[in-house]
Amino acid sequence: MKKLFPTAIAASIMALASAPATAQQQPTAPSSQAATPPSAEVDLRPYPAATIDQKRHVITLPALADESSAKLEIIVGRTMKIDCNHHFFGGQIEERTAEGWGYNYYVLPDLGQGASTLMGCGNTSQRDAFVTSPNQPLIRYNSKLPVVVYAPKNVEVRY
């Protein structure tokens, strides 16, 4: 049974586990980081190749003194123009296992349709914001293995 927690909890956990970032991590916001293409040092043989309409995102994590007390939240979404309403997507990340290897990886088949609340915003202007799906897994922190996520090419993967 998977438990889902709000992004703020995962961000707090990651802030407590402040370790220097590796070369593959590029901060995009104070509480989230974007996955980037893997370097030559990450062995991706156990994981399947991305399909034509997907992109493979690889997250390498720094080692922590006590990794059993930390979790990692995978955040998927898209930067888009929004108004004063609360916007979100309905996509669900699936956990799969690499056949013959036993390593887990994650697949977002589709981000889903965007939805929002229907408040009257008046004359407020639109702004750019990262719109996410509320269905985001919280997984075990393990710096020994990469976290591999497959998502559509137009989707950003953060953690």
Side-chain angles (χ1 to χ4, degrees):
M1 177 170 155
K2 294 181 185 177
K3 291 186 178 184
L4 302 176
F5 293 94
T7 304
I9 294 173
S12 298
I13 292 170
M14 291 305 291
L16 291 174
S18 60
T22 65
Q24 292 182 337
Q25 297 174 347
Q26 300 295 322
T28 56
S31 63
S32 66
Q33 298 168 326
T36 58
S39 67
E41 65 192 50
V42 177
D43 183 12
L44 296 176
R45 287 180 294 158
Y47 305 99
T51 63
I52 292 173
D53 56 340
Q54 287 181 331
K55 181 177 178 185
R56 178 168 51 190
H57 302 269
V58 178
I59 303 168
T60 55
L61 302 170
L64 300 177
D66 183 16
E67 293 186 0
S68 65
S69 65
K71 298 283 184 187
L72 176 77
E73 182 177 28
I74 300 171
I75 304 167
V76 293
R78 187 178 302 139
T79 301
M80 55 191 288
K81 292 218 177 275
I82 63 168
D83 55 14
C84 71
N85 287 292
H86 177 72
H87 295 261
F88 54 92
F89 289 102
Q92 181 88 23
I93 296 176
E94 302 169 0
E95 183 177 0
R96 298 186 185 166
T97 303
E99 289 188 37
W101 294 85
Y103 298 138
N104 292 338
Y105 63 94
Y106 302 89
V107 177
L108 176 69
D110 185 28
L111 192 55
Q113 289 290 91
S116 72
T117 56
L118 299 174
M119 296 187 306
C121 294
N123 291 333
T124 60
S125 62
Q126 292 193 345
R127 60 185 168 85
D128 285 332
F130 184 64
V131 180
T132 65
S133 169
N135 307 316
Q136 306 193 36
L138 192 64
I139 62 173
R140 186 173 79 91
Y141 192 100
N142 184 358
S143 64
K144 293 176 178 52
L145 292 174
V147 178
V148 180
V149 181
Y150 298 88
K153 289 182 178 181
N154 63 350
V155 173
E156 292 178 53
V157 175
R158 298 181 182 182
Y159 59 98

